Amino acid sequence: MIVTEKDTKFVYAFEEGQKEMVDLLGGKGSNLAEMTRLGLPVPSGFTISTQACLNYLKNNKLDSELILQIEKKAEELEIKTNKKFNDLVSPLLVSVRSGAKFSMPGMMDTVLNLGMNDVTVETIAKITGNSAFAYDSYRRFIQMFSDVVKEVDRQLFEQELTYYKEKQGYQYDTQMKERDWKIITQLYKEIYANEVNEQFPQEPEKQLLESIEAVFKSWNNPRAKTYRRMHAISDDLGTAVTVQEMVFGNTGMKSGTGVAFTRNPSNGKQGLFGEFLINAQGEDVVAGIRTPQDISQLAKIMPEAYQKFTDLAALLEAHYHDMQDIEFTIEEGQLFILQTRNGKRTPRAAIEIAIDLVEEGVISKEEALKRLTPQMLEQLLHPTFVAKELAQHEVFAQGLPASPGSASGKVYFTAEAAKKANQAGEKTVLLRKETSPEDIEGMAISEAIVTAHGGMTSHAAVVARGMGTCCVVGCEKLQIEEGSKKATVAGHTIEEGTVISVDGSTGCIYMGEIAKEKPTDESTALGKIVSWSKEIGTIKVMANAETEKEIAEAFQLGAEGMGLVRTEHMFFGEKRIVEMRKMILSPDPTAKKAALMNLKTFQKEDFKVIYRLAKEKSATIRLLDPPLHEFIPVGKEVAKMATILGISEAEVNQRIANLAENNPMLGHRGCRLAITNPEIYEMQVAAIMEAAIEVTEELGNESVIQPEIMIPLVSIEKEIVFIKEKLEKIISNTFIEKGKEIPYLIGTMLETPRACLIADKISKHVDFISFGTNDLTQLTFGFSRDDIGKFVNDYERQQIIESDPFQHLDKDGVGKLLKIAINSVKENESSDVSIGICGEVGGDPQSIEFLLNEGIQYVSCSPYRIPAALLTIAKLNIS
Amino acid sequence: MIVTEKDTKFVYAFEEGQKEMVDLLGGKGSNLAEMTRLGLPVPSGFTISTQACLNYLKNNKLDSELILQIEKKAEELEIKTNKKFNDLVSPLLVSVRSGAKFSMPGMMDTVLNLGMNDVTVETIAKITGNSAFAYDSYRRFIQMFSDVVKEVDRQLFEQELTYYKEKQGYQYDTQMKERDWKIITQLYKEIYANEVNEQFPQEPEKQLLESIEAVFKSWNNPRAKTYRRMHAISDDLGTAVTVQEMVFGNTGMKSGTGVAFTRNPSNGKQGLFGEFLINAQGEDVVAGIRTPQDISQLAKIMPEAYQKFTDLAALLEAHYHDMQDIEFTIEEGQLFILQTRNGKRTPRAAIEIAIDLVEEGVISKEEALKRLTPQMLEQLLHPTFVAKELAQHEVFAQGLPASPGSASGKVYFTAEAAKKANQAGEKTVLLRKETSPEDIEGMAISEAIVTAHGGMTSHAAVVARGMGTCCVVGCEKLQIEEGSKKATVAGHTIEEGTVISVDGSTGCIYMGEIAKEKPTDESTALGKIVSWSKEIGTIKVMANAETEKEIAEAFQLGAEGMGLVRTEHMFFGEKRIVEMRKMILSPDPTAKKAALMNLKTFQKEDFKVIYRLAKEKSATIRLLDPPLHEFIPVGKEVAKMATILGISEAEVNQRIANLAENNPMLGHRGCRLAITNPEIYEMQVAAIMEAAIEVTEELGNESVIQPEIMIPLVSIEKEIVFIKEKLEKIISNTFIEKGKEIPYLIGTMLETPRACLIADKISKHVDFISFGTNDLTQLTFGFSRDDIGKFVNDYERQQIIESDPFQHLDKDGVGKLLKIAINSVKENESSDVSIGICGEVGGDPQSIEFLLNEGIQYVSCSPYRIPAALLTIAKLNIS
């Protein structure tokens, strides 16, 4: 290693640093230096660099050069403070604190009151005229030093003190007198001697070096390591150590200590927000034994100090361009700033503060967006349980957090029962083994949906996210007996009508109702973030939405258009499903055809609603995707259907049996339906084109609708060729019938591995391609999202998978297929096919970076995920 | 297009060609040229090139340059034969025949007796002194010309003749006199005039050019196209046309015609094999109207001609290094060779002949293998009727054994009916008076073909042998009534749908279905081919086999070892399934464990059987693959199981319900079982290792068993890491318990798309990888093999897919994944992982070339496919 000046200078006085030196001096050290540089009243001190820490951790001892530098800076500190270690008149006491580059609150060690010994304690008692304070300070030092430096169990000290107070009949520390603290100090020194086998060290220099060494070591204590792993902080950074003159807030009624935020960290409102305690040290505030006063009260008690603090707080916020969390101490009327840092805040406050700072001209829009996370926006859109209430409820089951939100209601085991209860005014929670398209109405009216099986892209999860309804899936421990209308889990029995509460952000389920708080009116704030994100982002965000309500919401939340309009849900209305079943089950071709024509009428009206909302914006309509057996009647419906069809129940059952499949996921669905039954897609496309032409005429000169037709589940080039030819014939017939032509696009979904592998060939025949990552993930892994619940918990427990591939794109597998597909399409230079994604991961911030890098041109996701997706894209462009 | 000499010379006299010019002159033309060159008695003639045909097909007319060349060669022919078109003394008659590069028997058109007209017919009558012959020849020419050139329905002529004969009370053509043929000729000319709206053309030159044109056109007739598709012959080759002086086998009792093979085309035995008809033309033999005599009879009737033919046949076989199929005509005692070609033969004959030619020193082993196809070996392994069963069935009809094999099926009387039944899943037997080229598709799909008429070289016989389809011809006692869809023979009535059994090796036909068994002793011939193939082939062929019988068979058929030993089938024995069900369903952990230990005992015995057979050869054992619900009880078994488990039936049903899956193919199976229930694989591996050690000890110093353990359905790197660690612990425990260590290999299957995409990562942890193309194909397409039936017929009908991807590897999709996987594994230079394939396509000759090119190191397939796979690999190495 080449020795440079930097390598040989290990210790920096506060005056020598600045905030940019955070790598070397840590967060705390560089901030103290910065504040010193700004002329703030910061107790003097110096910082030992992270470099020194790393050297120490490598060699396991303090370098002699380092010791020399520490001693030199300690001497300078004595001069600056006009105090001296061991001095009989003006003794120097210091704190020794850790301070890494990234804040790791409470994870590493701190020693306060260093410099105390049997002589100094008396001097301090004399100077302050407060002997109890002096001995209390000394015993605190002994306890911390023993714990941090010598690893003596702190419980030994606590027990001794508790025992002593009991003996004396004291309830609080404040009842302890000078004599009591003296006795305690003596007892503490005895514990030290017993445990460490030496007398408590009296030399401040020895105390200092040993404390510094201990703080260095604490970089590698287990809880620090865990914290770093959890927060993705590198183990190679090391911590700096700050040595700073002690100031005391507990010297009497003219002293005090407090913490204040420059803005409200809960809602972001402007104005100081914080609290303080008179005659107290910082740890007393934290311990919560005495209830602190609101910071505004300080104006009355110490107007001068308050005014000074207010000014300094403003100065600091302006300097750091962000809301500050400031620790201060007042020693005998004199204000000291001990620490400042960017304040932690709620998502809501984060957004408000970011917006306010932009509007105050403090930061740019880009900077504001950088400070926000997609999770903040998601939280903003859903109610949450009141924290206090939540603490009083036991989690009795947990599943996958499929769609965020917090909801309570009465449990129902079928969609019909839920619907009925809802019509009777009940709030319902739909509890199912798994949901299917027939459940759609029961889902729509429920407050929350819970399923025992299925993963993050199961039917329940996808639909719930689309609706913005709170949903927990794959709650495998729930034993649901739909027949007897009950569910059991871990000894609890839930019957129809039992009230439960569901947290869709954590997957936790609670018994009983829990109070909720709604985010108030967030539209202004959210609207601003969405609009700034759209200004800055590089690719479009579309919505997966099909109902009028969803589409309207999607546009309000920032969608550029609809990237996936599913048509299958449109067939489940009461009248429609009968026509659908006629079409599928009738033995009479004429009746089949009539049913198809009736369906066309319904579909056309659906599409007109969509086009009136979307106008010239994209609305990509996917043709029928699920297998026909999803639409067949069950139970009593069979007999009803037999009557309608005029055939026997047995024949209906026979026809239903013929439709059954072993692996529906790999079965007769998607474009395969169009090879065997071209009339279905032909009907849909005729309905689309007629609707588009009619709405175009309604709109006059305002907009021309350009239908986008998407063919699902292609895996063979000739599938798309065959279907496209048939559809184009229908389209040109419609143009002739209507006497009007409009532009249109035909595209396809890439959702089988084979489609990705031959994407270059497929793309020659289409105007756009859209990756359907839900099915693609199922096929790439060979995981059925409906069945994954049987083993996914074990997979997570054994860390076989790091994250659910239906939630976060599997880059190694599915991602590689996307890459192969996109590259092959782009190699064809004449191709101007647009490339998007409409699977669930399209709305997942973790996945969007990968998608952007690979050249995806738009993402489409459920409406409620749009703001987060927009923010993610904007932030990627900024960085 | 650049005009070269080749491009401008379109017509070649026989003297100008040779056999190497087959591309240009077709098979027939080049062979006639070759025979002419060899000095054989070939009627003179010339050939118009395939190039001329292609030009014609492009421009839709005969080129003027071509017409000039034809006229010139026709003049030369007149000089050579000393005959002239229209000559009043010595008129020239010619045949016009198609002749493509690859033989397409009967698929294209032929015109005989060209040159006949109202004048020539009289001259011929005079010369031959046989007026009946002359008019018969003329009417034949009118009929053929009308059919071939003018597309007049030949039935019109047949009906006229039949009607006339009935009126006269004749039964056979031979009863027709001069006057009768004159009347018929007149009637035929009238039909022509009516249908074509012009008089029958009298100018031989016009007859010739129009016939040539018609033969060119016939390249693209539907049956020729079908034949080419079935035999993978390119549509771009075109046909040559040969114009040759007519010689007549039907001028009287000193004339005749015949066809003979130089060896027996049915079993390959040496010696002339064929038949002839006195006073007949070639088409009489082929059409099967008269039943011909055995060629050996010719020695008695015309000893001189017979001797000459025998000599020429030997000469031709020696010249062509292969068995010849020779057509000859004797005109008034003079022998002419009309055609020679490599004879079609049964697979069995092909193999015998190839082996004999090697042993006679005529060809090399490589040449012998080149002449064999994988299909031939597969045919050789075709089943025969179980002797005992056969003895219980009465022969109700017998014909000529035209093509070996044993088959049963439902009778159909037309090719279309058979085709329809086949599409509905029926096994069919096609029963016809005689077959014609239009029947080709119905023949191709039938299990067996039976004709009432015709001989060993009739259309039915030749085509069936080519296809390797079981065939009996000339079963004259069969009274077939195609119209009323029935046949009668000796009191039996066979209706459409009646099941019969056909033995193509004996010519016997039986009522009902007869059980079949695989042939045992093809060992000599097959053994030689297998052993030559192994000498020449580059990669190993292993077997997918698990029972003792299968494994023994596999070794006999040439397997190097077992590439896939499935373990799941081993759990279905009566006692075993009970233990399996206990393990799966018992609520009592102790009972579960006891069941597992019992299963281990069974498994260990299974593995010992395998190792005793395989010894030091590979036996790759795949750990449990299917989902557990495949083993659960159904129906009455549930109650039985409840008693055994000591729990209620309802509880058993509940436990079964918990195991149910929506998409079992994508469910909880393969290595996923080992993450949730490691004990199962651990049990299996302990059983494997104990069995291997015990058999190693049994064998003494003979062999050391090296177990190969294969983990199925991996898609994530950590799956293999997790499972391998667990299994290696079991293995080392077993070594300690047994006090003996043996080598072992751990490998995995790549059968999900993701496994292929991360093959480099997976391969780091294993000794071998084996592609499971069955599951991989399902996942790549998203096709469930169990459900594909719902749409695959439409896919084939609409030509969306060219071939079943489960039968022939899908190169574009699945093949691309293989390529990606293999390349990524090989990029890791330190890797010595061996790479194989054990899916169905591993035994498919069409797929093996691709697999070899991609670097697969072994294939594994069902035992009966091994010889074909070995041959394929050897042939690839030769070429």
Side-chain angles (χ1 to χ4, degrees), chain B residues 581-582 584-588 638-656:
Chain B
R581 288 170 182 172
K582 278 194 218 163
I584 296 168
L585 297 171
S586 176
D588 170 11
V638 177
K640 243 192 250 174
M641 209 57 219
T643 311
I644 293 170
L645 295 172
I647 54 178
S648 72
E649 210 175 322
E651 195 175 341
V652 175
N653 278 323
Q654 180 59 41
R655 286 171 174 268
I656 290 173

mmCIF file of all heavy atoms in Angstrom, chain B residues 581-582 584-588 638-656:
data_model
loop_
_atom_site.group_PDB
_atom_site.id
_atom_site.type_symbol
_atom_site.label_atom_id
_atom_site.label_comp_id
_atom_site.label_asym_id
_atom_site.label_seq_id
_atom_site.Cartn_x
_atom_site.Cartn_y
_atom_site.Cartn_z
ATOM 1 N N ARG B 581 -48.643 -45.166 0.479
ATOM 2 C CA ARG B 581 -49.798 -44.396 0.935
ATOM 3 C C ARG B 581 -49.706 -44.108 2.429
ATOM 4 O O ARG B 581 -50.099 -43.031 2.876
ATOM 5 C CB ARG B 581 -51.087 -45.154 0.603
ATOM 6 C CG ARG B 581 -51.363 -45.125 -0.884
ATOM 7 C CD ARG B 581 -52.486 -46.049 -1.297
ATOM 8 N NE ARG B 581 -52.649 -45.977 -2.744
ATOM 9 C CZ ARG B 581 -53.450 -46.770 -3.441
ATOM 10 N NH1 ARG B 581 -54.170 -47.701 -2.831
ATOM 11 N NH2 ARG B 581 -53.525 -46.637 -4.758
ATOM 12 N N LYS B 582 -49.188 -45.069 3.185
ATOM 13 C CA LYS B 582 -48.976 -44.805 4.607
ATOM 14 C C LYS B 582 -48.034 -43.623 4.765
ATOM 15 O O LYS B 582 -48.276 -42.720 5.551
ATOM 16 C CB LYS B 582 -48.347 -46.023 5.291
ATOM 17 C CG LYS B 582 -49.333 -47.109 5.690
ATOM 18 C CD LYS B 582 -48.607 -48.058 6.666
ATOM 19 C CE LYS B 582 -48.990 -49.495 6.456
ATOM 20 N NZ LYS B 582 -48.036 -50.424 7.092
ATOM 21 N N ILE B 584 -47.429 -41.237 2.811
ATOM 22 C CA ILE B 584 -47.996 -39.958 2.370
ATOM 23 C C ILE B 584 -49.118 -39.495 3.301
ATOM 24 O O ILE B 584 -49.215 -38.314 3.617
ATOM 25 C CB ILE B 584 -48.532 -40.086 0.931
ATOM 26 C CG1 ILE B 584 -47.383 -40.377 -0.028
ATOM 27 C CG2 ILE B 584 -49.270 -38.823 0.491
ATOM 28 C CD1 ILE B 584 -47.819 -40.798 -1.419
ATOM 29 N N LEU B 585 -49.958 -40.420 3.740
ATOM 30 C CA LEU B 585 -51.210 -40.015 4.376
ATOM 31 C C LEU B 585 -51.257 -40.176 5.889
ATOM 32 O O LEU B 585 -52.153 -39.635 6.539
ATOM 33 C CB LEU B 585 -52.381 -40.796 3.764
ATOM 34 C CG LEU B 585 -52.627 -40.561 2.269
ATOM 35 C CD1 LEU B 585 -53.652 -41.558 1.749
ATOM 36 C CD2 LEU B 585 -53.097 -39.133 2.002
ATOM 37 N N SER B 586 -50.325 -40.919 6.460
ATOM 38 C CA SER B 586 -50.448 -41.173 7.885
ATOM 39 C C SER B 586 -50.283 -39.901 8.702
ATOM 40 O O SER B 586 -49.420 -39.074 8.422
ATOM 41 C CB SER B 586 -49.399 -42.194 8.333
ATOM 42 O OG SER B 586 -49.495 -42.351 9.735
ATOM 43 N N PRO B 587 -51.145 -39.726 9.738
ATOM 44 C CA PRO B 587 -50.989 -38.563 10.616
ATOM 45 C C PRO B 587 -49.909 -38.810 11.677
ATOM 46 O O PRO B 587 -49.550 -37.907 12.411
ATOM 47 C CB PRO B 587 -52.366 -38.439 11.268
ATOM 48 C CG PRO B 587 -52.940 -39.814 11.219
ATOM 49 C CD PRO B 587 -52.296 -40.555 10.087
ATOM 50 N N ASP B 588 -49.404 -40.044 11.738
ATOM 51 C CA ASP B 588 -48.494 -40.430 12.817
ATOM 52 C C ASP B 588 -47.057 -40.489 12.295
ATOM 53 O O ASP B 588 -46.733 -41.316 11.441
ATOM 54 C CB ASP B 588 -48.950 -41.816 13.323
ATOM 55 C CG ASP B 588 -47.935 -42.426 14.284
ATOM 56 O OD1 ASP B 588 -47.006 -41.700 14.707
ATOM 57 O OD2 ASP B 588 -48.077 -43.627 14.580
ATOM 58 N N VAL B 638 -60.001 -45.964 -0.563
ATOM 59 C CA VAL B 638 -59.949 -44.934 0.478
ATOM 60 C C VAL B 638 -60.347 -45.538 1.822
ATOM 61 O O VAL B 638 -59.657 -45.366 2.835
ATOM 62 C CB VAL B 638 -60.866 -43.744 0.128
ATOM 63 C CG1 VAL B 638 -60.866 -42.715 1.259
ATOM 64 C CG2 VAL B 638 -60.396 -43.093 -1.168
ATOM 65 N N ALA B 639 -61.465 -46.276 1.820
ATOM 66 C CA ALA B 639 -61.946 -46.876 3.069
ATOM 67 C C ALA B 639 -60.906 -47.851 3.609
ATOM 68 O O ALA B 639 -60.603 -47.866 4.805
ATOM 69 C CB ALA B 639 -63.266 -47.593 2.805
ATOM 70 N N LYS B 640 -60.349 -48.672 2.704
ATOM 71 C CA LYS B 640 -59.320 -49.628 3.101
ATOM 72 C C LYS B 640 -58.153 -48.901 3.779
ATOM 73 O O LYS B 640 -57.661 -49.302 4.829
ATOM 74 C CB LYS B 640 -58.806 -50.334 1.845
ATOM 75 C CG LYS B 640 -59.082 -51.848 1.840
ATOM 76 C CD LYS B 640 -58.307 -52.512 0.725
ATOM 77 C CE LYS B 640 -59.184 -53.001 -0.389
ATOM 78 N NZ LYS B 640 -58.430 -53.517 -1.536
ATOM 79 N N MET B 641 -57.762 -47.818 3.155
ATOM 80 C CA MET B 641 -56.610 -47.066 3.667
ATOM 81 C C MET B 641 -56.941 -46.446 5.019
ATOM 82 O O MET B 641 -56.082 -46.390 5.911
ATOM 83 C CB MET B 641 -56.248 -45.981 2.646
ATOM 84 C CG MET B 641 -54.791 -45.602 2.654
ATOM 85 S SD MET B 641 -53.694 -47.005 2.353
ATOM 86 C CE MET B 641 -52.393 -46.588 3.511
ATOM 87 N N ALA B 642 -58.167 -45.993 5.159
ATOM 88 C CA ALA B 642 -58.578 -45.395 6.440
ATOM 89 C C ALA B 642 -58.420 -46.425 7.561
ATOM 90 O O ALA B 642 -57.899 -46.112 8.634
ATOM 91 C CB ALA B 642 -60.027 -44.907 6.348
ATOM 92 N N THR B 643 -58.851 -47.657 7.296
ATOM 93 C CA THR B 643 -58.704 -48.720 8.288
ATOM 94 C C THR B 643 -57.231 -48.941 8.622
ATOM 95 O O THR B 643 -56.840 -49.019 9.785
ATOM 96 C CB THR B 643 -59.301 -50.038 7.732
ATOM 97 O OG1 THR B 643 -60.597 -49.752 7.217
ATOM 98 C CG2 THR B 643 -59.389 -51.086 8.832
ATOM 99 N N ILE B 644 -56.428 -49.030 7.592
ATOM 100 C CA ILE B 644 -54.995 -49.263 7.819
ATOM 101 C C ILE B 644 -54.382 -48.129 8.642
ATOM 102 O O ILE B 644 -53.587 -48.358 9.555
ATOM 103 C CB ILE B 644 -54.254 -49.409 6.472
ATOM 104 C CG1 ILE B 644 -54.706 -50.692 5.772
ATOM 105 C CG2 ILE B 644 -52.739 -49.385 6.675
ATOM 106 C CD1 ILE B 644 -54.225 -50.830 4.341
ATOM 107 N N LEU B 645 -54.781 -46.899 8.332
ATOM 108 C CA LEU B 645 -54.192 -45.745 9.014
ATOM 109 C C LEU B 645 -54.830 -45.509 10.376
ATOM 110 O O LEU B 645 -54.300 -44.739 11.189
ATOM 111 C CB LEU B 645 -54.355 -44.481 8.166
ATOM 112 C CG LEU B 645 -53.612 -44.460 6.826
ATOM 113 C CD1 LEU B 645 -54.033 -43.245 6.019
ATOM 114 C CD2 LEU B 645 -52.102 -44.443 7.061
ATOM 115 N N GLY B 646 -55.983 -46.141 10.618
ATOM 116 C CA GLY B 646 -56.665 -45.945 11.894
ATOM 117 C C GLY B 646 -57.259 -44.553 12.020
ATOM 118 O O GLY B 646 -57.331 -43.992 13.106
ATOM 119 N N ILE B 647 -57.662 -43.964 10.904
ATOM 120 C CA ILE B 647 -58.342 -42.666 10.969
ATOM 121 C C ILE B 647 -59.622 -42.772 10.136
ATOM 122 O O ILE B 647 -59.838 -43.763 9.431
ATOM 123 C CB ILE B 647 -57.457 -41.500 10.440
ATOM 124 C CG1 ILE B 647 -56.944 -41.811 9.036
ATOM 125 C CG2 ILE B 647 -56.298 -41.251 11.383
ATOM 126 C CD1 ILE B 647 -56.118 -40.702 8.425
ATOM 127 N N SER B 648 -60.457 -41.735 10.228
ATOM 128 C CA SER B 648 -61.736 -41.812 9.534
ATOM 129 C C SER B 648 -61.539 -41.624 8.028
ATOM 130 O O SER B 648 -60.551 -41.032 7.583
ATOM 131 C CB SER B 648 -62.671 -40.724 10.051
ATOM 132 O OG SER B 648 -62.238 -39.470 9.572
ATOM 133 N N GLU B 649 -62.515 -42.127 7.275
ATOM 134 C CA GLU B 649 -62.482 -41.969 5.834
ATOM 135 C C GLU B 649 -62.495 -40.482 5.472
ATOM 136 O O GLU B 649 -61.820 -40.049 4.530
ATOM 137 C CB GLU B 649 -63.699 -42.681 5.233
ATOM 138 C CG GLU B 649 -63.431 -43.212 3.840
ATOM 139 C CD GLU B 649 -64.607 -44.008 3.308
ATOM 140 O OE1 GLU B 649 -65.241 -44.737 4.103
ATOM 141 O OE2 GLU B 649 -64.888 -43.899 2.110
ATOM 142 N N ALA B 650 -63.258 -39.729 6.261
ATOM 143 C CA ALA B 650 -63.342 -38.285 5.996
ATOM 144 C C ALA B 650 -61.964 -37.647 6.128
ATOM 145 O O ALA B 650 -61.577 -36.778 5.346
ATOM 146 C CB ALA B 650 -64.324 -37.629 6.958
ATOM 147 N N GLU B 651 -61.206 -38.121 7.129
ATOM 148 C CA GLU B 651 -59.885 -37.532 7.320
ATOM 149 C C GLU B 651 -58.942 -37.916 6.175
ATOM 150 O O GLU B 651 -58.162 -37.094 5.699
ATOM 151 C CB GLU B 651 -59.295 -37.941 8.666
ATOM 152 C CG GLU B 651 -58.113 -37.068 9.039
ATOM 153 C CD GLU B 651 -57.554 -37.348 10.427
ATOM 154 O OE1 GLU B 651 -58.259 -37.938 11.251
ATOM 155 O OE2 GLU B 651 -56.389 -36.953 10.655
ATOM 156 N N VAL B 652 -59.054 -39.157 5.736
ATOM 157 C CA VAL B 652 -58.240 -39.551 4.575
ATOM 158 C C VAL B 652 -58.596 -38.672 3.382
ATOM 159 O O VAL B 652 -57.716 -38.141 2.693
ATOM 160 C CB VAL B 652 -58.463 -41.048 4.232
ATOM 161 C CG1 VAL B 652 -57.697 -41.409 2.952
ATOM 162 C CG2 VAL B 652 -58.013 -41.927 5.386
ATOM 163 N N ASN B 653 -59.908 -38.483 3.191
ATOM 164 C CA ASN B 653 -60.323 -37.653 2.056
ATOM 165 C C ASN B 653 -59.833 -36.223 2.183
ATOM 166 O O ASN B 653 -59.452 -35.595 1.202
ATOM 167 C CB ASN B 653 -61.848 -37.688 1.912
ATOM 168 C CG ASN B 653 -62.296 -38.935 1.168
ATOM 169 O OD1 ASN B 653 -61.616 -39.375 0.236
ATOM 170 N ND2 ASN B 653 -63.403 -39.510 1.587
ATOM 171 N N GLN B 654 -59.829 -35.710 3.423
ATOM 172 C CA GLN B 654 -59.328 -34.361 3.651
ATOM 173 C C GLN B 654 -57.842 -34.271 3.288
ATOM 174 O O GLN B 654 -57.386 -33.343 2.624
ATOM 175 C CB GLN B 654 -59.556 -33.975 5.121
ATOM 176 C CG GLN B 654 -59.077 -32.585 5.494
ATOM 177 C CD GLN B 654 -59.759 -31.496 4.670
ATOM 178 O OE1 GLN B 654 -60.946 -31.533 4.412
ATOM 179 N NE2 GLN B 654 -58.978 -30.519 4.211
ATOM 180 N N ARG B 655 -57.104 -35.304 3.693
ATOM 181 C CA ARG B 655 -55.665 -35.315 3.404
ATOM 182 C C ARG B 655 -55.413 -35.431 1.901
ATOM 183 O O ARG B 655 -54.478 -34.836 1.365
ATOM 184 C CB ARG B 655 -54.994 -36.489 4.135
ATOM 185 C CG ARG B 655 -54.871 -36.211 5.619
ATOM 186 C CD ARG B 655 -54.420 -37.382 6.439
ATOM 187 N NE ARG B 655 -54.219 -36.902 7.802
ATOM 188 C CZ ARG B 655 -53.059 -36.455 8.272
ATOM 189 N NH1 ARG B 655 -51.986 -36.474 7.507
ATOM 190 N NH2 ARG B 655 -52.960 -35.986 9.490
ATOM 191 N N ILE B 656 -56.250 -36.214 1.263
ATOM 192 C CA ILE B 656 -56.124 -36.336 -0.197
ATOM 193 C C ILE B 656 -56.438 -35.000 -0.851
ATOM 194 O O ILE B 656 -55.737 -34.556 -1.760
ATOM 195 C CB ILE B 656 -57.061 -37.449 -0.714
ATOM 196 C CG1 ILE B 656 -56.528 -38.818 -0.254
ATOM 197 C CG2 ILE B 656 -57.176 -37.394 -2.239
ATOM 198 C CD1 ILE B 656 -57.445 -39.987 -0.560
#
